[in-house]
Amino acid sequence: MAATGFGNFRNGTHGTRASLNSSTKASLNSNPKNSSLKSKSLNSSGFRKSAPASLGAAKDDAGVPGRVRVAVRLRPRNAEEMVADADFADCVELQPEVKRLKLRKNNWDSDTYEFDEVLTEFASQKRVYEVVAKPVVESVLDGYNGTVMAYGQTGTGKTYTLGRLGEEDTAARGIMVRAMEDILADVSQESDSVSVSYLQLYMETIQDLLDPTNDNISIVEDPKTGDVSLPGASIVEIRDQQSFVELLRLGEAHRFAANTRLNTESSRSHAILMVHVKRSVKGRESALSSDNGNNSHMIKSLKPPVVRKGKLVVVDLAGSERIDKSGSEGHTLEEAKSINLSLSALGKCINALAENSPHVPVRDSKLTRLLRDSFGGTARTSLVITIGPSPRHRGETASTIMFGQRAMKVENMLKLKEEFDYKSLARRLDIQLDKLIADHERQQKAFEEEIERITIEAQNQISEVERNYADALEKERVKYQKECMDSIKKLEEKWMMNQQRHASDENMVGLKDDGSDVTSKGEDSGVAVVEEVAEIKKLLQKEALLRKAAEEEVDNLKSELAQSKKSEALGNSEVSNLSKMLEDEARQKEKLEGEIAMLQSQLLQISFEADETRRRLDKGWSEKIHGGLDSQMSQLRHPQLNDTGNGEKASIAKLFEQVGLSKILSLLESEDADVRIHAVKVVANLAAEETNQEKIVEAGGLTSLLTLLRSSEDETIHRVAAGAIANLAMNETNQELIMTQGGIRLLSMTAANAEDPQTLRMVAGAIANLCGNDKLQMKLRGEGGIKALLGMVKCRHPDVLAQVARGIANFAKCESRASTQGTKNGKSLLIVDGALPWIVQNANNEASQIRRHIELALCHLAQHEVNAKDMISGGALWELVRISRDCSREDIKTLAHRTLTSSPTFQAELKRLRIDY
């Protein structure tokens, strides 16, 4: 929320400051005293030019060092301070020319501090943006992560600096609005994308300011890279500035605020704006050529496009406050406690990083977990600390200045977030494949149409030849038949004439002499017969010639028919050749698809090798950041690796890819005991990876593991299955499924029957994870979860006791939270179930892991007055006093001290015992 002082001042500027030109608006990186870092840090003027041109040419996984840049901004006096401090000078004196600040101790002595930029009360919002946030925004546009954060006492102008919308006065626009203006002006609407999430951290609960119903978002950490993500948060794509301003207005309306003595609109939560920028890198891929006939060569030469993913995080921290000055009470007091605790955790992390401590307590607060990349990580970070001029708040001002001084010592290792766009490449390959398939189908259709045309032509030619042959044959038959009939008719006519002539000749013979007449007639008759025979022979010869001509015509027609059949055979041969061509095209298509599959496999292999290389290079850095608590968490998340060894990771991942999850889960029901043991070990190893857990649960793996606990009597199966369930129980959704399917009863039965300490450790770890869920408290206790934990202490193995202590601490913490929120009344269920004697007995255990959890559990139990009498009678008061004085953990020590001083029952008992506290 805007500070009161800025509200009166935002429209006015000092006469000399109003004329600042671009040459005086230097960025944070232009500080002369840090000139030695200029070559290493990514300054705003030379950042774009130094960005690598290609992933292969300038790949630098080690990153570039860059110190956290810190600017200080002074708020002008508000109306109240004008009256109350009228007779007193400001507690600070700014020297912006030399980037120094003097904090007055008294009228004659002061302390001097140097910062990267010193902004007076007259500095405009534009000036603040250009020196604090603009270099970070330019880094984000070039593919790096960036953070801009405001820190300071409540009412000093943090929200005014970051979140002012400037709707009435555009000059008052804050860093959020101005940053989005620069981002939208630089990205391309066609190839780039910008999306935002707007969250608040309220009472250690992450809530979505864009969707108020989403009020408990979990933090997910990548086990390989350590990156933090919020998968449950709303992500809205931004296309124009107006829609972004509407989202900011919506988020501010849902943010918690309260009226205190120091600020009429005091923010009661930390606001976090996340801007995700995804940009395509131009000129980094081979173009597809449609003129190249060799499709295989074209696809092999294809390279995946490259994208850069930058993330800008703008954090408006809630202001630190002293209760006696702010006048907070009731629920506002609880809010102030939560704010101060999270800011204290952030300060501890800054101190550890500034001193190069081997352990950085990033897991003490959700705020530090969200900002783990901003301080000591891979992001470019700018911090603006806001202070007030009033001498009444000199202590808070000094604390803010020291926070900024320590932050300036933190070194980040900036890394370019550049990767191959495999999805885009896959889409392009699919488009090219569809194009090739369409061309092939088009050619196949053309071939089929050509075959059909040739077949029809051949059939038409054959039909025409057959028809012509039949017509010609019919014509010849009719012709020969007619000629034959004419010849027969002529012969009959001649025969009749000869008969008549012969009859007339016989009548004339009777008139002459018999002898001479007969001789004469015989000679005449013989001559006529010879002539007739000769004529018949001529006719027969002519008939033979005609028959021969007809046979020759028939032979010609047969030859034409044979020629037609030969043409048909040629047509069939051409059809066969076309069929072979189609088969060749089909084989070429299969070969092309094989090459595409091989290319995709190679791309996936390249991606895997790149991830492995990045993980190895980041390993040393990530181990430094995680430290302490992560080592214990690693033991719980990967218990089964103690049995199988790190060498099995690659083989199990390969087995997962080749065989498939469903096949592996089916082996859990095998009749062979050895097969079941190996299968449950594989499932346990897969469950250690957070990315596999959802797949295992969806495929029925959780049900199968619980069934094994119920049906199997093998101790090894019990141990490994319990370890896998413990890994799955890290997820809140899985915790509810485990409870629904009777998981607590099965784990309790397994613990009761187990003798191996490692089996008990796995079971205790699973129950301890379930104890951390607020929604499952009553059901977990009702099904015997607490009694099962207490029953396992008989083992006395330190690893088992550590998990039991962790579970009790988780349960006590959830009870404390429920009592604070008013959802639980009455004494603690741990005390009712008889856990207090064991807690008191182990409060000073030699094992640090056990002792730390027990001390934390005691502090949570003691926070509620209803438990005080039982704790006094059980001897817990003496342990609380010891913890408040001798505990090595400063946060637990502070919590114990505050608990003792705030409890009337404890105070009365201490007075009765004459203990000065």
Side-chain angles (χ1 to χ4, degrees):
M1 298 303 167
T4 307
F6 279 116
N8 297 328
F9 182 75
R10 64 178 184 271
N11 293 326
T13 56
H14 193 273
T16 58
R17 294 286 178 175
S19 61
L20 285 173
N21 55 35
S22 60
S23 63
T24 62
K25 296 177 181 179
S27 69
L28 289 177
N29 288 330
S30 62
N31 189 355
K33 71 185 182 67
N34 292 314
S35 59
S36 61
L37 292 174
K38 286 179 70 176
S39 61
K40 295 182 181 180
S41 63
L42 305 173
N43 55 52
S44 60
S45 60
F47 190 87
R48 301 286 170 85
K49 297 178 181 178
S50 63
S54 67
L55 204 64
K59 185 175 180 180
D60 186 10
D61 287 332
V64 180
R67 179 174 60 79
V68 174
R69 320 301 290 175
V70 181
V72 60
R73 187 182 194 186
L74 176 64
R75 170 182 60 77
R77 288 193 178 193
N78 55 33
E80 180 186 353
E81 292 169 346
M82 290 287 189
V83 177
D85 300 333
D87 298 331
F88 300 95
D90 293 348
C91 67
V92 293
E93 178 186 348
L94 304 186
Q95 298 175 340
E97 296 80 7
V98 293
K99 305 185 188 308
R100 291 180 181 174
L101 176 149
K102 288 187 177 181
L103 179 64
R104 291 192 178 92
K105 294 182 178 179
N106 45 50
N107 291 334
W108 58 86
D109 193 11
S110 61
D111 292 329
T112 302
Y113 303 94
E114 291 187 6
F115 288 93
D116 294 298
E117 193 66 39
V118 174
L119 302 166
T120 68
E121 64 269 32
F122 306 110
S124 65
Q125 290 282 75
K126 181 179 180 182
R127 164 76 172 165
V128 174
Y129 170 73
E130 289 181 345
V131 300
V132 174
K134 190 169 184 178
V136 178
V137 173
E138 292 179 347
S139 300
V140 171
L141 289 171
D142 283 321
Y144 292 81
N145 287 346
T147 301
V148 179
M149 187 170 69
Y151 178 92
Q153 182 190 9
T154 181
T156 54
K158 297 181 297 301
T159 303
Y160 176 86
T161 300
L162 296 181
R164 190 74 169 183
L165 299 182
E167 294 176 304
E168 298 177 357
D169 181 8
T170 57
R173 290 169 300 161
I175 287 176
M176 291 181 182
V177 177
R178 294 177 185 269
M180 183 56 69
E181 288 176 351
D182 283 356
I183 290 173
L184 292 177
D186 197 72
V187 299
S188 170
Q189 295 292 340
E190 291 76 18
S191 59
D192 304 337
S193 65
V194 180
S195 57
V196 301
S197 298
Y198 200 13
L199 314 166
Q200 70 174 349
L201 179 59
Y202 176 72
M203 302 283 286
E204 282 301 297
T205 302
I206 301 176
Q207 302 177 3
D208 196 335
L209 289 175
L210 304 181
D211 182 11
T213 60
N214 191 7
D215 58 357
N216 190 12
I217 301 174
S218 59
I219 300 176
V220 177
E221 298 181 17
D222 191 322
K224 293 183 179 179
T225 64
D227 291 340
V228 175
S229 61
L230 302 169
S234 301
I235 299 178
V236 181
E237 187 169 355
I238 301 299
R239 289 291 182 180
D240 55 77
Q241 184 70 13
Q242 185 60 35
S243 62
F244 175 68
V245 173
E246 291 295 332
L247 286 179
L248 287 184
R249 185 184 297 108
L250 175 64
E252 285 299 317
H254 294 146
R255 191 176 177 190
F256 288 99
N259 184 3
T260 67
R261 295 176 186 172
L262 299 178
N263 192 354
T264 57
E265 295 183 65
S266 175
S267 301
R268 314 310 290 171
S269 65
H270 307 299
I272 303 165
L273 175 69
M274 295 184 178
V275 182
H276 304 270
V277 181
K278 181 178 179 181
R279 308 193 69 186
S280 298
V281 181
K282 306 297 182 183
R284 300 288 297 277
E285 56 191 74
S286 300
L288 288 172
S289 174
S290 59
D291 298 332
N292 187 359
N294 191 345
N295 293 330
S296 176
H297 176 72
M298 176 180 61
I299 290 180
K300 286 183 178 179
S301 65
L302 183 67
K303 293 182 180 179
V306 177
V307 294
R308 288 178 179 172
K309 296 180 178 179
K311 180 174 72 173
L312 174 63
V313 180
V314 184
V315 185
D316 179 13
L317 295 174
S320 61
E321 61 182 65
R322 291 189 178 180
I323 307 303
D324 55 344
K325 292 184 178 182
S326 64
S328 299
E329 57 184 13
H331 187 66
T332 306
L333 176 61
E334 296 301 323
E335 292 175 337
K337 291 179 181 179
S338 176
I339 292 170
N340 289 339
L341 281 175
S342 61
L343 293 177
S344 174
L346 177 61
K348 291 178 183 178
C349 289
I350 297 295
N351 292 343
L353 290 169
E355 297 171 0
N356 291 323
S357 173
H359 170 64
V360 181
V362 293
R363 295 184 176 274
D364 287 357
S365 170
K366 288 186 177 181
L367 177 63
T368 53
R369 292 178 67 189
L370 289 172
L371 297 178
R372 67 184 307 167
D373 192 46
S374 303
F375 293 97
T378 63
R380 182 177 190 182
T381 301
S382 284
L383 170 67
V384 55
I385 59 173
T386 57
I387 59 176
S390 175
R392 291 179 297 159
H393 305 308
R394 185 188 177 282
E396 291 83 346
T397 301
S399 175
T400 301
I401 291 172
M402 294 309 300
F403 179 89
Q405 289 287 299
R406 288 189 292 268
M408 289 176 65
K409 299 178 182 179
V410 177
E411 285 278 348
N412 289 355
M413 191 62 63
L414 312 186
K415 291 187 179 180
L416 183 66
K417 305 298 181 180
E418 189 175 73
E419 61 186 33
F420 290 120
D421 190 357
Y422 295 107
K423 293 182 179 179
S424 175
L425 175 61
R427 287 195 298 269
R428 294 178 61 183
L429 289 175
D430 289 338
I431 292 172
Q432 186 65 16
L433 180 60
D434 291 340
K435 181 180 178 182
L436 293 174
I437 291 174
D439 291 341
H440 172 72
E441 291 177 348
R442 199 160 43 245
Q443 293 176 3
Q444 184 176 5
K445 185 176 181 181
F447 290 152
E448 292 175 352
E449 291 176 351
E450 183 67 17
I451 292 171
E452 186 177 359
R453 185 186 63 80
I454 294 173
T455 303
I456 293 173
E457 287 183 358
Q459 291 176 351
N460 291 338
Q461 290 178 0
I462 293 172
S463 299
E464 185 177 356
V465 170
E466 290 178 347
R467 189 167 55 252
N468 293 338
Y469 173 73
D471 293 343
L473 190 63
E474 182 65 21
K475 288 179 181 179
E476 289 296 326
R477 186 184 65 79
V478 172
K479 178 182 176 182
Y480 293 147
Q481 186 177 6
K482 185 177 179 182
E483 290 179 353
C484 183
M485 293 299 293
D486 291 342
S487 298
I488 293 172
K489 187 175 181 181
K490 288 179 180 180
L491 289 174
E492 288 179 348
E493 289 176 352
K494 289 182 179 180
W495 184 75
M496 291 296 294
M497 291 174 65
N498 289 333
Q499 288 293 330
Q500 292 176 0
R501 190 183 302 126
H502 181 67
S504 64
D505 289 341
E506 286 181 350
N507 291 329
M508 292 176 67
V509 167
L511 298 175
K512 297 180 178 181
D513 186 42
D514 292 335
S516 61
D517 291 342
V518 172
T519 302
S520 177
K521 289 180 183 178
E523 291 176 354
D524 293 337
S525 177
V527 173
V529 170
V530 170
E531 291 175 354
E532 187 176 353
V533 169
E535 187 175 356
I536 290 174
K537 285 182 178 180
K538 290 180 180 180
L539 291 172
L540 289 174
Q541 290 176 354
K542 184 178 180 181
E543 189 70 25
L545 292 173
L546 292 174
R547 183 179 180 83
K548 185 176 181 181
E551 290 177 352
E552 289 177 354
E553 185 68 23
V554 170
D555 291 338
N556 290 334
L557 292 174
K558 287 182 178 180
S559 177
E560 291 179 1
L561 181 60
Q563 188 68 25
S564 298
K565 290 183 177 180
K566 185 177 181 181
S567 299
E568 182 180 2
L570 291 174
N572 291 333
S573 176
E574 187 173 356
V575 170
S576 177
N577 292 333
L578 291 174
S579 298
K580 289 182 179 179
M581 290 176 64
L582 288 175
E583 292 177 358
D584 292 339
E585 287 293 330
R587 284 194 295 270
Q588 186 177 2
K589 175 185 174 183
E590 292 178 359
K591 183 178 179 182
L592 183 62
E593 291 175 348
E595 291 174 351
I596 292 174
M598 184 180 298
L599 178 60
Q600 291 176 338
S601 176
Q602 291 173 355
L603 291 176
L604 291 175
Q605 183 66 24
I606 291 172
S607 174
F608 175 77
E609 292 175 357
D611 290 341
E612 286 296 315
T613 303
R614 188 178 297 108
R615 182 180 64 79
R616 289 196 298 269
L617 291 173
D618 290 346
K619 182 177 180 181
W621 185 257
S622 61
E623 288 179 353
K624 181 179 179 181
I625 295 298
H626 292 276
L629 293 180
D630 283 354
S631 60
Q632 183 183 352
M633 188 63 69
S634 175
Q635 291 178 5
L636 181 58
R637 289 176 62 86
H638 307 282
Q640 61 274 19
L641 295 183
N642 295 328
D643 297 321
T644 60
N646 295 329
E648 293 187 4
K649 285 185 177 179
S651 61
I652 289 175
K654 185 176 181 181
L655 179 66
F656 180 40
E657 294 177 358
Q658 293 179 350
V659 178
L661 182 61
S662 59
K663 181 64 176 178
I664 295 174
L665 293 178
S666 66
L667 295 177
L668 296 176
E669 302 175 0
S670 173
E671 296 180 358
D672 191 333
D674 291 336
V675 173
R676 287 200 307 274
I677 291 174
H678 287 296
V680 74
K681 286 183 177 181
V682 171
V683 174
N685 276 279
L686 293 174
E689 297 291 338
E690 191 169 356
T691 54
N692 298 332
Q693 292 179 1
E694 183 177 356
K695 299 177 183 177
I696 292 174
V697 174
E698 289 179 353
L702 176 60
T703 303
S704 299
L705 291 171
L706 293 173
T707 303
L708 280 177
L709 288 182
R710 182 186 299 107
S711 60
S712 177
E713 298 179 358
D714 189 280
E715 183 82 4
T716 302
I717 291 179
H718 285 174
R719 170 169 48 80
V720 182
I725 294 172
N727 287 334
L728 295 175
M730 298 291 289
N731 182 280
E732 185 175 345
T733 303
N734 296 344
Q735 292 173 356
E736 296 179 0
L737 290 175
I738 292 172
M739 294 296 295
T740 303
Q741 298 183 25
I744 281 294
R745 288 194 178 93
L746 292 175
L747 290 170
S748 301
M749 292 171 55
T750 303
N753 299 327
E755 298 179 357
D756 182 14
Q758 294 303 319
T759 303
L760 293 173
R761 180 170 71 91
M762 302 299 177
V763 175
I767 297 177
N769 289 339
L770 296 172
C771 286
N773 193 317
D774 299 276
K775 303 175 183 177
L776 307 178
Q777 293 281 292
M778 296 303 297
K779 189 172 183 181
L780 185 142
R781 186 247 184 177
E783 295 184 4
I786 301 301
K787 292 184 178 179
L789 278 178
L790 296 176
M792 284 185 275
V793 302
K794 294 183 292 185
C795 174
R796 297 185 181 277
H797 193 282
D799 290 342
V800 178
L801 296 182
Q803 297 303 326
V804 172
R806 186 171 68 87
I808 290 175
N810 286 343
F811 196 91
K813 184 177 181 180
C814 291
E815 277 193 329
S816 175
R817 188 184 300 119
S819 298
T820 301
Q821 295 174 353
T823 59
K824 180 186 180 303
N825 297 317
K827 65 173 64 177
S828 169
L829 298 177
L830 291 173
I831 296 178
V832 174
D833 285 350
L836 186 60
W838 185 83
I839 294 174
V840 174
Q841 180 183 355
N842 289 271
N844 199 18
N845 195 292
E846 294 180 357
S848 60
Q849 293 181 349
I850 301 174
R851 184 175 66 254
R852 176 167 56 82
H853 289 305
I854 293 299
E855 289 175 346
L856 192 59
L858 274 175
C859 291
H860 285 305
L861 289 173
Q863 282 187 310
H864 303 288
E865 196 70 15
V866 70
N867 299 330
K869 292 183 179 180
D870 291 284
M871 296 186 70
I872 291 172
S873 61
L877 177 60
W878 298 104
E879 294 300 332
L880 284 172
V881 173
R882 179 191 61 77
I883 293 170
S884 68
R885 293 175 177 176
D886 303 332
C887 182
S888 59
R889 287 281 300 273
E890 192 64 29
D891 54 342
I892 300 177
K893 183 177 179 181
T894 303
L895 181 62
H897 177 76
R898 187 171 65 248
T899 301
L900 288 173
T901 56
S902 62
S903 171
T905 305
F906 286 146
Q907 285 293 311
E909 182 67 14
L910 290 173
K911 289 181 180 179
R912 189 184 69 81
L913 297 174
R914 297 181 181 180
I915 297 176
D916 187 14
Y917 196 85

